[in-house]
Amino acid sequence: MRRFLAMGVAAAVALSAGTSSVAYAHGGGVLRVASKQVGVGGTISMTGEKLGNNANLKAELRGVLDNYVLGSVRTGATGALAAGVTVPVAVPAGVYTLVLIAADGDIAGRTEVTVGPPAVVAAAASGMPQMAAGGEMADMPGMKASAEMMKIETRTTPVEWTIIGALILLSFAGGAALLAKSRSARAQ
């Protein structure tokens, strides 16, 4: 029985040692992008390190609803990377995770990237809203900036007014009860 127990422990140690080295191979990669915002059709410039020596990695944008393959990149002899990939025009605007995937399917590195229309990304990079001639917003055709107040229609139904009134009455009743309790506590 001791022999089987010793063999089981030895097998567990060997398996855990083997899996930890595999996990370490892809778990320590660092990926950086020149800009966290990129326009559709734009280029994501990236650098990285500890991504695996002389490795071919698949670059992919992973979103909530879909994933988009950007191409492949190759690391150098030290596991460093300096490359650029183009965002396809089919990618909808949104927040994505840029991942580099190793040949065995593991993620070698990742970072967050926001994809937007080119005009919005240019505005964000400059820090200024984009205005076309005549005060029209470049990223929102037909919309013009003005100093007028926006008119927002609000409609409150009779049921909503009843609930609002009941909450007000309950608040007053609760406050009165607390005041009465406070006064009776002081009187004693």
Side-chain angles (χ1 to χ4, degrees), residues 2 7 14 22 34 38 51 54 60 70 91 117 134 141 145 171 174 180 182-183:
R2 288 183 187 170
M7 286 175 32
V22 170
V38 63
L51 296 169
N54 296 315
E60 187 175 282
L70 304 178
V91 175
S171 296
S182 173
R183 286 184 186 152

Side-chain angles (χ1 to χ4, degrees), residues 110-121:
R110 74 176 74 212
T111 189
E112 297 296 316
V113 175
T114 301
V115 175
V120 174
V121 173

Side-chain angles (χ1 to χ4, degrees), residues 1-70:
M1 184 66 160
R2 288 183 187 170
R3 179 184 240 172
F4 289 117
L5 182 60
M7 286 175 32
V9 169
V13 168
L15 283 174
S16 66
T19 57
S20 66
S21 66
V22 170
Y24 177 74
H26 299 299
V30 177
L31 180 63
R32 294 181 202 89
V33 290
S35 174
K36 293 281 187 182
Q37 295 183 341
V38 63
V40 173
T43 300
I44 300 174
S45 297
M46 61 183 140
T47 59
E49 55 191 49
K50 300 179 186 175
L51 296 169
N53 301 345
N54 296 315
N56 286 320
L57 304 172
K58 181 171 73 170
E60 187 175 282
L61 281 179
R62 292 190 173 174
V64 174
L65 299 177
D66 212 350
N67 299 334
Y68 300 93
V69 176
L70 304 178

Side-chain angles (χ1 to χ4, degrees), residues 121-186:
V121 173
S126 69
M128 299 295 292
Q130 296 290 68
M131 294 285 195
E136 188 170 295
M137 299 293 290
D139 55 339
M140 294 182 237
M143 300 294 292
K144 292 187 178 194
S146 69
E148 289 183 36
M149 295 291 290
M150 272 179 74
K151 294 179 184 176
I152 301 174
E153 289 187 35
T154 58
R155 295 184 185 157
T156 308
T157 66
V159 172
E160 292 171 331
W161 280 116
T162 304
I163 293 171
I164 291 169
L167 287 172
I168 291 171
L169 288 175
L170 284 172
S171 296
F172 279 123
L178 286 173
L179 285 174
K181 185 176 181 180
S182 173
R183 286 184 186 152
S184 68
R186 286 186 203 161

